[in-house]
Amino acid sequence: MFHSHFRQIALFLLLLLPFSSCKQTAPLNGKLKSDNLPSQLFTISTIRDNNIRLSGGTIIQIPANALKNANGDSVKLEIKEALTIEQMIAAGLYTRSNGELLASGGMLYIAPQEGQDVKILKSMKVVVPADQTQEGMQLFRGEVVDAAINWVDPKPLEVSKMDARLAHGKKLLTSNCYQCHDVTKKIVGPPLFGAIQRWGNDTNAVYEYTRDIALAMQKYPRATCVYNEYRISMPAFPTLTKEELDDMYLYIQEEGMKRLGGMPAEYTNTSCDSCFYIYQLEYSLYSAGKGRFGINYYGRPTDTIKNNLANGTNVINVATDTTSPVISNVVIPPPPTYYSFDISTFGWFNIDQFLADNIQTEITTLKVIQEGLVSSTLYPVLVVPSLKIIQAGAASSDNHYFYFKEEDGKVQLPPNKKAYILVMGEKSDTVLFGITNFVTGGDQTIKVNIQKSNKVAVKAAIGRLKLPDAKINVEKTNNVNTDQLKLELDRLRKKYPGCNVSDTSK
């Protein structure tokens, strides 16, 4: 039986797996713990169009009269996103369908809040952002059985990746940008891969900056900060349409993922989003009217701001950033790369691909042996972050090892990918934890050393599955109006709540 101390740890990562018999043909799913994901709550009018952008970037389009509430013309919705590997692990959202392993492109839960009688009369459209789209992805529906989730009823979905668009985007990039920019390398200007992410997924702002940097600098403090970081003037491209920019940034995203196989932290980091930048904004507002946008060294800042400015470089984690949820009756532009599907029921949905259908995977043998403080109640979990694969292991019939698909250890996985084996549980009121990493491929037997642990150590270990923190330096910036500075400061405070800021913007 799990005790209160272990439950506290499980709030961060629930790898609590159901007990299994000695003989089984496939691993059991872990328990679904969706309470570990934050609920995003919305109240919408059913008689008008509603366009919702969630904190992770997912867009939901709900047409007028698509929902009917027996008690009135408004509906309260509860929505959850699981787009990152950490979110999926924490919620027990294992990636398998009736025993077959899956690679996930993102998960979503949507339902009316309790106490409402709501029916769906028209389908709702969902757009899920993607670092890179994969052929063969399908939409699965979540089915909860014995407190575990199983993904069923796969259906085709719309994918934004089209050869014609990619070719068009490459042509636009080559003819307009390649003198100063490369997709993944710094030339005169920064690499273009990750530009959308560095701007907080604000596609409209990036497009305005691309068309005319001078005009963007009048509207966005970030534009001024980026200009000061590189000190180069970019030619204006005022005739580029939204559709052309969509195609160009789609190509940049796909090409960057192809070259690097992922989005390294340095491609999403920007000096314009550090705590120090926040302190600069605070100081600017405190000294409003006394100098340029940046540090007014002749002002009299509060002690808090003065001390913060003296600290210089700060450490932030951009990997956990989310944007503020938005609801509008105007269509919200989709991200450059995305999956799209329609839903006509409430519940869990998952964009997945059967690993057996992925031509980049191969059959390997993977077994896990536990060492150290072993216990019959502990089960390993396989995590492959690059494809968002999470699978609970099962004990072999002789209890000598654990496996993830077939009892002989056979499992289909992508080769040469960094992967992890996690083991977590409790024995005699003692927290037990083990983690090891390896590179997939070939026939392997992985040993995991299980030791006594605690909540802080477990959290730190799991945190290392994320992208590394980035040290960020800041340059001074130019004039921007005070109202815009307040908006930018408010945005960054929400984005990085860990920065110790004072309230000087009022």
Side-chain angles (χ1 to χ4, degrees):
M1 181 176 181
F2 296 105
H3 300 282
S4 58
H5 182 59
F6 182 66
R7 291 195 188 98
Q8 289 181 325
I9 299 177
L11 287 175
F12 175 76
L13 171 67
L14 279 170
L15 298 176
L16 307 182
L17 307 175
F19 292 90
S20 67
S21 62
C22 292
K23 293 185 179 181
Q24 55 187 49
T25 58
L28 296 175
N29 278 303
K31 292 182 179 179
L32 176 65
K33 297 291 181 180
S34 59
D35 287 347
N36 285 354
L37 294 176
S39 293
Q40 301 180 55
L41 306 178
F42 299 89
T43 300
I44 66 169
S45 169
T46 59
I47 59 177
R48 68 167 192 167
D49 292 343
N50 291 273
N51 296 274
I52 300 172
R53 187 185 68 206
L54 304 177
S55 62
T58 300
I59 297 171
I60 303 176
Q61 299 171 357
I62 306 175
N65 302 308
L67 302 180
K68 182 179 180 180
N69 189 344
N71 299 319
D73 292 335
S74 66
V75 171
K76 295 181 179 180
L77 294 174
E78 178 185 16
I79 308 175
K80 294 175 182 282
E81 289 174 294
L83 304 183
T84 68
I85 196 76
E86 295 83 16
Q87 291 169 333
M88 295 174 189
I89 293 174
L93 292 164
Y94 293 84
T95 57
R96 53 173 303 213
S97 174
N98 297 324
E100 295 294 326
L101 271 67
L102 305 170
S104 179
M107 305 175 187
L108 176 81
Y109 171 82
I110 180 170
Q113 296 178 42
E114 291 185 7
Q116 299 176 97
D117 181 10
V118 180
K119 295 181 180 179
I120 301 178
L121 304 180
K122 299 179 186 178
S123 62
M124 300 176 285
K125 188 175 216 41
V126 179
V127 175
V128 178
D131 291 334
Q132 183 184 30
T133 55
Q134 296 285 342
E135 298 291 348
M137 285 290 196
Q138 301 182 80
L139 178 66
F140 289 72
R141 178 177 58 83
E143 183 179 73
V144 180
V145 179
D146 295 331
I149 196 160
N150 184 39
W151 302 105
V152 297
D153 299 337
K155 292 181 173 58
L157 51 80
E158 174 191 342
V159 180
S160 68
K161 180 179 178 181
M162 296 181 291
D163 291 340
R165 288 188 60 197
L166 291 172
H168 184 220
K170 181 179 181 179
K171 181 179 178 181
L172 289 168
L173 184 68
T174 302
S175 60
N176 292 301
C177 308
Y178 262 7
Q179 287 185 336
C180 299
H181 293 279
D182 183 72
V183 173
T184 57
K185 300 176 183 177
K186 179 179 178 180
I187 304 179
V188 178
L192 296 178
F193 184 46
I196 299 291
Q197 290 78 4
R198 291 194 293 272
W199 279 70
N201 295 302
D202 188 343
T203 305
N204 286 335
V206 174
Y207 287 6
E208 289 185 50
Y209 186 89
T210 305
R211 290 191 185 104
D212 194 323
I213 184 175
L215 290 178
M217 287 171 66
Q218 300 302 315
K219 188 174 181 180
Y220 301 102
R222 177 189 293 270
T224 304
C225 181
V226 172
Y227 171 78
N228 282 336
E229 187 172 354
Y230 288 92
R231 298 291 180 182
I232 58 172
S233 295
M234 190 171 77
F237 302 99
T239 61
L240 287 176
T241 66
K242 178 185 179 301
E243 289 72 22
E244 288 174 327
L245 289 169
D246 283 345
D247 289 355
M248 188 172 76
Y249 279 99
L250 172 64
Y251 170 75
I252 290 168
Q253 184 74 9
E254 293 287 331
E255 182 65 16
M257 293 296 293
K258 185 188 301 181
R259 292 185 191 180
L260 302 179
M263 180 74 73
E266 59 266 28
Y267 285 82
T268 60
N269 295 339
T270 168
S271 60
C272 299
D273 270 348
S274 70
C275 290
F276 193 61
Y277 180 50
I278 293 176
Y279 305 149
Q280 287 184 312
L281 291 179
E282 280 198 301
Y283 198 174
S284 299
L285 288 167
Y286 178 86
S287 329
K290 297 182 181 179
R292 296 167 63 81
F293 172 50
I295 302 298
N296 179 346
Y297 293 99
Y298 301 100
R300 294 175 58 84
T302 63
D303 290 339
T304 299
I305 301 175
K306 217 187 310 187
N307 293 335
N308 288 337
L309 289 172
N311 291 333
T313 302
N314 292 273
V315 177
I316 65 171
N317 186 352
V318 297
T320 59
D321 172 44
T322 57
T323 58
S324 298
V326 171
I327 183 168
S328 170
N329 60 354
V330 179
V331 174
I332 299 172
T337 315
Y338 61 88
Y339 297 105
S340 179
F341 55 90
D342 293 333
I343 57 175
S344 55
T345 59
F346 293 117
W348 277 103
F349 300 92
N350 187 6
I351 298 168
D352 271 298
Q353 179 188 43
F354 285 109
L355 283 185
D357 295 337
N358 190 323
I359 61 173
Q360 297 180 351
T361 63
E362 62 186 25
I363 296 177
T364 64
T365 300
L366 178 62
K367 299 178 180 179
V368 173
I369 296 176
Q370 297 180 354
E371 296 182 330
L373 302 177
V374 300
S375 169
S376 61
T377 64
L378 298 179
Y379 292 84
V381 173
L382 167 67
V383 179
V384 185
S386 62
L387 290 184
K388 295 187 178 72
I389 300 168
I390 311 168
Q391 174 67 329
S396 62
S397 56
D398 58 9
N399 287 319
H400 286 170
Y401 61 86
F402 293 85
Y403 63 96
F404 298 96
K405 178 66 168 61
E406 306 294 341
E407 187 168 352
D408 60 3
K410 291 290 190 298
V411 61
Q412 193 148 349
L413 293 173
N416 302 316
K417 298 294 183 181
K418 190 169 185 178
Y420 298 85
I421 301 294
L422 309 174
V423 179
M424 183 173 176
E426 184 178 273
K427 181 179 181 181
S428 301
D429 296 328
T430 299
V431 175
L432 302 177
F433 181 73
I435 181 171
T436 189
N437 64 73
F438 66 101
V439 176
T440 57
D443 297 339
Q444 300 190 66
T445 297
I446 306 297
K447 296 182 179 181
V448 183
N449 186 25
I450 303 169
Q451 298 295 329
K452 292 181 181 180
S453 189
N454 56 66
K455 180 173 64 175
V456 174
V458 170
K459 185 174 181 179
I462 300 304
R464 287 191 286 272
L465 291 176
K466 302 178 181 179
L467 293 176
D469 288 347
K471 291 186 177 180
I472 291 183
N473 298 301
V474 199
E475 300 287 343
K476 288 182 286 185
T477 53
N478 296 325
N479 279 329
V480 173
N481 68 72
T482 301
D483 289 341
Q484 191 63 37
L485 290 182
K486 288 181 179 180
L487 291 174
E488 178 77 343
L489 180 58
D490 183 60
R491 181 186 72 82
L492 290 173
R493 280 174 168 171
K494 293 177 180 177
K495 186 174 183 179
Y496 300 117
C499 292
N500 179 24
V501 295
S502 58
D503 192 2
T504 61
S505 62
K506 293 181 180 179

